[in-house]
Amino acid sequence: MKKFYVTTAIYYPNDIPHIGHAYTTIAVDILARWHKLKGEKVRFLTGTDDHGKKIEEIAKKHGQAPKEFTDRLIPKFKDAWKKLNIKYDRFIRTTDSDHEKLVQEVLTKVNKKGDIYLGKYEGYYCTGCEAYYTEKDLINNCCPIHKKPVEKLREPSYFFRLSKYQKKLLELYKRNPNFILPKFRQQEIINRVKEELYDLSISRTDFDWGIPIPFDKKHVTYVWFDALLNYITGADGFWPADVHLIGKDIIWFHTVIWPAILLSAGYKLPKSVFAHGWWTFNQEKISKSRGKVININELISIAGVDSARYFLFRETPFGEDGDFSEQALIERHNNELANKFGNLISRVSALAEKYAIEKTKNNLIKKLKLKEIEKHFENYEFDKALNLIFEFIDRCNEYVQGNKIWEASCLDRGKKLYELADSIKAISILLSPFMPETCEKIAKIFHFKISFSEIHKPLKIEKIKKAEILFKKI
Ligand code: MSP
């Protein structure tokens, strides 16, 4: 059986999850469901990145210990994923004991190999990014991403010999042109790696909310050396990952630092890393400080779970930035889901309840561009897959309308209804990764199983009942 292992970035549990976290997590859910449809053995890993200075500081503000603080936030993440109908296999936390053990083992291994040394870190640190910057990265002495002042650090630190892996990384990008996806993001990374790679500071002594370095307990490692390794801890025999889905802001860590750690520790490399774009809200950056955050309850309350899941992947090509607006979501819900998809299901199910359906060859389905749709799924082109599925929904609606099925002769009507019902089966199976709840309802009405191979099997004729309204217009 073919295996498929896919992961989300693990999120900082410093607040409740918002649309940015939901975006990666739904994308992974769509991919996982797609590969399950295809009969593959799938592993889907998500979780939280509990350590680091940022969490420690926020916990302190709340008068809590970091563990206590994060323990209270984790249920909010789990609850959000449940509401969004996300089916992961493991929710990992970097504080899980198997993970802490693995990180220490890897540190020991990499140290023995001579890839870790004690040095002195002198430079700048942004707690928002949990990352180091050099003077030339800064803009007006501020972090280029958070635009906030950075901390000047001068302290002993263990370093990972990232510089040693420059050549191997460049070879990797050449050998595997799908390692960094989308392709338009490759060149920037390659250029930066070619220019110069600095060794990476991986430990600190001025706080302790991290994993103790096994060979020097005064130091803790946290965030990147710690967090990235979650993908190995949670693999459960599925390593190497087929794809890590992440946001574009953390592409450097996943396509440079991560493969270097794996090369040093002697693990296989993931097959690819796909970086998606960022959402803005009414053209403004989503930011907590300015009050522009869309949390999961808000997202769902606009038009329901399936419409939200659909919208995020129809509105913008995956990989590019998108702008979220309530109006745009409502328009797609009304025009595409209620008027087109919902209407097709309701008309065909109503006719099939009233008139007998007659088994025949489905010629209508020739208009479904199945091979192209599969290709789009494989290439993470979710918007294009959806476009083609909805093109076919249009053809089906025209078929109902143009043929005036209700006026046709009994036999002819029965056959046309069969073609439509069988086409609805294909449509719903293909849409099920995006809208699982709705598609399961349709599967019950038309009596089919949600599995890719069912697309090619003729629909069994059983009594069909008129569907309830699937998408109420707003
Ligand atoms: N903990 C690290 C990741 C470690 S992975 C080994 C981290 N966490 S985060 O909580 O800050 O961000 C997690 C993810 O959310 C990132 O992939 C980021 O791109 C994504 N998003 C945060 N805001 C976003 C938007 N506004 N839009 C889309 N995704 C964004 O980084």
Side-chain angles (χ1 to χ4, degrees), residues 299-314:
L299 177 66
I300 294 173
S301 69
I302 301 169
V305 174
D306 279 0
S307 299
R309 289 177 60 118
Y310 167 78
F311 173 80
L312 291 175
F313 294 90
R314 181 73 193 269

Side-chain angles (χ1 to χ4, degrees), residues 81-179:
W81 303 157
K82 196 166 171 194
K83 283 186 180 146
L84 284 168
N85 209 349
I86 283 160
K87 297 259 184 297
Y88 53 81
D89 294 296
R90 175 169 172 188
F91 189 103
I92 192 170
R93 295 180 62 181
T94 49
T95 43
D96 289 346
S97 58
D98 60 343
H99 177 69
E100 297 199 338
K101 188 165 162 260
L102 178 111
V103 171
Q104 294 197 324
E105 281 165 12
V106 172
L107 280 166
T108 307
K109 213 191 270 176
V110 172
N111 185 41
K112 277 200 181 128
K113 199 170 168 183
D115 282 352
I116 290 178
Y117 63 91
L118 185 63
K120 194 171 245 162
Y121 182 78
E122 281 199 61
Y124 302 92
Y125 192 79
C126 169
T127 308
C129 299
E130 295 280 19
Y132 297 93
Y133 286 105
T134 61
E135 188 128 26
K136 73 171 196 268
D137 297 326
L138 305 180
I139 301 173
N140 299 328
N141 285 326
C142 290
C143 157
I145 291 174
H146 291 84
K147 317 269 186 283
K148 283 190 188 150
V150 287
E151 230 183 309
K152 178 135 203 211
L153 292 180
R154 208 162 172 263
E155 59 178 36
S157 171
Y158 282 96
F159 283 80
F160 169 62
R161 285 190 206 279
L162 182 61
S163 57
K164 183 176 147 186
Y165 290 91
Q166 186 182 35
K167 211 170 133 224
K168 285 212 167 115
L169 288 170
L170 292 171
E171 277 163 16
L172 160 70
Y173 309 141
K174 208 171 196 173
R175 193 175 65 241
N176 180 0
N178 287 329
F179 186 73

Side-chain angles (χ1 to χ4, degrees), residues 9-12 18 20-21 23-24 49 224 227-228 230-231 246-250 254 276-279 286:
I10 50 171
Y11 311 112
Y12 292 127
H18 60 63
H21 308 126
Y23 190 44
T24 325
D49 188 356
W224 297 103
L228 288 160
N230 92 86
Y231 302 134
I246 54 157
K248 63 178 184 180
D249 53 321
I250 52 178
H254 283 79
H276 64 66
W278 270 49
W279 285 93
I286 292 176

Side-chain angles (χ1 to χ4, degrees), residues 375-441:
K375 259 247 152 62
H376 291 318
F377 266 106
E378 301 302 328
N379 293 336
Y380 313 96
E381 293 163 331
F382 301 124
D383 61 315
K384 289 198 176 128
L386 285 169
N387 262 325
L388 290 183
I389 301 168
F390 271 76
E391 245 176 43
F392 183 58
I393 291 177
D394 285 345
R395 298 292 87 76
C396 291
N397 274 320
E398 284 160 19
Y399 200 67
V400 181
Q401 196 59 32
N403 284 300
K404 293 209 174 128
I405 286 183
W406 49 96
E407 287 175 7
S409 75
C410 187
L411 182 68
D412 195 31
R413 183 171 59 213
K415 287 184 172 169
K416 290 204 160 66
L417 277 176
Y418 179 84
E419 286 184 288
L420 284 160
D422 191 60
S423 299
I424 284 175
K425 163 166 70 68
I427 291 167
S428 312
I429 292 169
L430 293 171
L431 285 178
S432 66
F434 298 95
M435 297 183 276
E437 196 187 335
T438 305
C439 295
E440 264 153 37
K441 279 189 200 157

Side-chain angles (χ1 to χ4, degrees), residues 260-451:
I261 293 174
L262 292 167
L263 285 167
S264 172
Y267 286 100
K268 285 191 180 156
L269 300 182
K271 291 179 200 146
S272 50
V273 172
F274 186 101
H276 64 66
W278 270 49
W279 285 93
T280 50
F281 179 59
N282 292 335
Q283 309 294 345
E284 282 190 55
K285 192 170 176 289
I286 292 176
S287 103
K288 233 174 62 189
S289 50
R290 286 197 302 215
K292 302 270 179 212
V293 205
I294 305 138
N295 69 38
I296 311 306
N297 287 338
E298 284 165 341
L299 177 66
I300 294 173
S301 69
I302 301 169
V305 174
D306 279 0
S307 299
R309 289 177 60 118
Y310 167 78
F311 173 80
L312 291 175
F313 294 90
R314 181 73 193 269
E315 181 72 359
T316 305
F318 196 53
E320 286 169 32
D321 293 340
D323 185 54
F324 184 89
S325 86
E326 204 172 308
Q327 194 52 36
L329 168 49
I330 291 173
E331 272 167 29
R332 287 203 185 268
H333 169 91
N334 285 346
N335 300 338
E336 292 159 19
L337 298 179
N339 286 354
K340 293 182 173 186
F341 184 34
N343 198 21
L344 176 69
I345 305 301
S346 112
R347 286 163 101 186
V348 174
S349 65
L351 288 164
E353 182 181 67
K354 199 160 166 198
Y355 304 112
I357 76 172
E358 198 72 45
K359 203 162 196 162
T360 187
K361 187 166 177 294
N362 186 355
N363 285 319
L364 175 61
I365 208 162
K366 287 183 192 148
K367 299 205 166 91
L368 175 71
K369 296 175 183 150
L370 188 59
K371 279 273 163 285
E372 281 178 54
I373 292 170
E374 283 186 73
K375 259 247 152 62
H376 291 318
F377 266 106
E378 301 302 328
N379 293 336
Y380 313 96
E381 293 163 331
F382 301 124
D383 61 315
K384 289 198 176 128
L386 285 169
N387 262 325
L388 290 183
I389 301 168
F390 271 76
E391 245 176 43
F392 183 58
I393 291 177
D394 285 345
R395 298 292 87 76
C396 291
N397 274 320
E398 284 160 19
Y399 200 67
V400 181
Q401 196 59 32
N403 284 300
K404 293 209 174 128
I405 286 183
W406 49 96
E407 287 175 7
S409 75
C410 187
L411 182 68
D412 195 31
R413 183 171 59 213
K415 287 184 172 169
K416 290 204 160 66
L417 277 176
Y418 179 84
E419 286 184 288
L420 284 160
D422 191 60
S423 299
I424 284 175
K425 163 166 70 68
I427 291 167
S428 312
I429 292 169
L430 293 171
L431 285 178
S432 66
F434 298 95
M435 297 183 276
E437 196 187 335
T438 305
C439 295
E440 264 153 37
K441 279 189 200 157
I442 300 172
K444 282 210 178 90
I445 297 165
F446 288 88
H447 313 289
F448 59 84
K449 253 189 21 222
I450 304 239
S451 148

